[in-house]
Amino acid sequence: MSRALVIGEALIDIVERNGRITGEHVGGSPLNVAVGLARLERDVDFLTHIASDDRGNRIVEYLKSSGVQLVSGSRTAARTPTAVATLDDTGSARYTFDIDWQLAGTPEVAPPLVAHTGSIATVLEPGCRAVAALLDAYHLSATLTFDPNVRTALISDDEAARNRIERLVERCDVVKASDEDMRWIDPRRSPEQIAQTWLNMGPSIVAVTMGEQGGFAVCRAGVVRVPSRPVQVVDTVGAGDAFMTGLIDGLWSLDLLGAQRRRDLAAISTDALTEVLSTAVLTSALTVAKAGADLPDRAARDAAAQGAQG
């Protein structure tokens, strides 16, 4: 087992700024993680739901060029999903979606080392039920990672969505969320309080992104915080996905992934977690410095890391 399996939506981001369309980019939170890991030279299978139309063809070519293997059965949708990303003056995006999310059957892939999911795929009917079942199936072989990446525009029942998120937190080994996600999930408590509650529910690591304030993570050994990297922000599209990618890659580099390493992951030290969190923050910083969710490859990230040390 040396491959990642990423399960979730793929779509075309139609970027709009000041009332006009400035471009179309291949996107979707899980897709971004799959591509980000492949660019970091990890072997990745991606299970999604897109169509055999022009936009679907564009997604397939993008995945292929990044080194991601599309799982058989991923092209059965009537139309490829889209998201209109409206950018404000700071580059932050607000999304409007057109998506149908369904999955059927078990992916024809070998048992993965790590299985990741998140965002729309975990709350939108009917596919979200299949996603939860697949995570249960892969628990025996894989580290399970999850990013709720809340998209309120697609949530019709807030309480049901919060319950689904909570059940996935209980199932998964590594959970990442933004402070904005946390405020939507429970506005009465701080992100730090929610992260600690989630840790007590089962995960080995709960990481939280805090925008320009960097991020923090909790584990059994304690709490670690890492500041943001100073960069000129072009837009924030894909920032959280890049952080998630860096988190998974950092744990992979420390040989802490796979069900057989679950006990070692739970015992991660604060020093090791700080190293992993720093990798995640750097990966995110390099992404927001470019337009769209253009995650870095390993050479670019290594060069940036060496430059910072120098």
Side-chain angles (χ1 to χ4, degrees):
M1 297 184 300
S2 61
R3 299 181 68 85
L5 173 64
V6 179
I7 305 166
E9 70 273 8
L11 46 80
I12 296 293
D13 280 323
I14 303 167
V15 182
E16 187 178 273
R17 197 165 202 162
N18 298 323
R20 68 183 183 88
I21 294 175
T22 60
E24 292 193 8
H25 307 278
V26 174
S29 176
L31 175 142
N32 290 337
V33 174
V35 168
L37 287 171
R39 289 182 178 177
L40 295 174
E41 301 172 11
R42 303 300 187 182
D43 294 326
V44 185
D45 296 307
F46 181 49
L47 175 65
T48 191
H49 186 59
I50 58 175
S52 295
D53 54 17
D54 289 344
R55 282 173 167 156
N57 292 339
R58 183 174 175 185
I59 289 171
V60 170
E61 288 304 313
Y62 183 76
L63 291 170
K64 188 181 297 183
S65 68
S66 299
V68 176
Q69 180 69 44
L70 185 66
V71 175
S72 176
S74 291
R75 302 198 69 181
T76 59
R79 66 187 182 282
T80 294
T82 60
V84 177
T86 304
L87 304 180
D88 63 19
D89 292 339
T90 68
S92 294
R94 177 173 50 83
Y95 292 89
T96 306
F97 295 92
D98 176 15
I99 181 171
D100 172 44
W101 175 243
Q102 300 187 48
L103 290 179
T106 302
E108 295 180 8
V109 296
L113 185 72
V114 55
H116 171 76
T117 192
S119 198
I120 297 166
T122 60
V123 295
L124 188 63
E125 294 276 13
C128 63
R129 297 178 185 274
V131 172
L134 286 173
L135 289 187
D136 283 344
Y138 289 122
H139 185 269
L140 292 175
S141 70
T143 297
L144 304 181
T145 68
F146 170 50
D147 175 8
N149 196 17
V150 176
R151 301 303 192 192
T152 56
L154 281 171
I155 294 174
S156 57
D157 186 333
D158 290 1
E159 194 59 32
R162 290 186 177 103
N163 288 337
R164 284 200 175 101
I165 289 169
E166 186 170 288
R167 288 196 295 271
L168 287 172
V169 168
E170 292 173 343
R171 283 181 170 97
C172 291
D173 301 291
V174 179
V175 178
K176 170 262 165 190
S178 70
D179 55 346
E180 291 181 356
D181 292 337
M182 295 292 207
R183 283 193 290 271
W184 181 84
I185 290 165
D186 189 347
R188 300 163 301 176
R189 296 190 297 156
S190 70
E192 289 82 1
Q193 290 172 320
I194 298 171
Q196 193 60 55
T197 296
W198 283 3
L199 186 73
N200 294 335
M201 289 165 58
S204 295
I205 296 169
V206 178
V208 181
T209 58
M210 306 284 288
E212 61 185 19
Q213 297 178 46
F216 73 90
V218 295
C219 65
R220 291 182 186 175
V223 182
V224 302
R225 297 180 184 276
V226 174
S228 62
R229 300 285 295 252
V231 294
Q232 184 67 43
V233 176
V234 175
D235 66 49
T236 62
V237 178
D241 306 326
F243 186 98
M244 186 79 243
T245 298
L247 199 61
I248 295 170
D249 178 68
L251 293 170
W252 205 326
S253 295
L254 294 177
D255 191 25
L256 290 175
L257 297 183
Q260 293 181 338
R261 304 291 284 166
R262 192 161 273 131
R263 182 175 296 179
D264 297 307
L265 180 64
I268 190 171
S269 68
T270 53
D271 286 346
L273 186 54
T274 299
E275 178 185 335
V276 170
L277 209 61
S278 297
T279 297
V281 167
L282 175 59
T283 309
S284 184
L286 293 173
T287 301
V288 302
K290 292 183 176 182
D294 188 4
L295 280 69
D297 60 21
R298 188 165 296 280
R301 200 185 64 187
D302 287 351
Q306 291 171 1
Q309 292 172 358

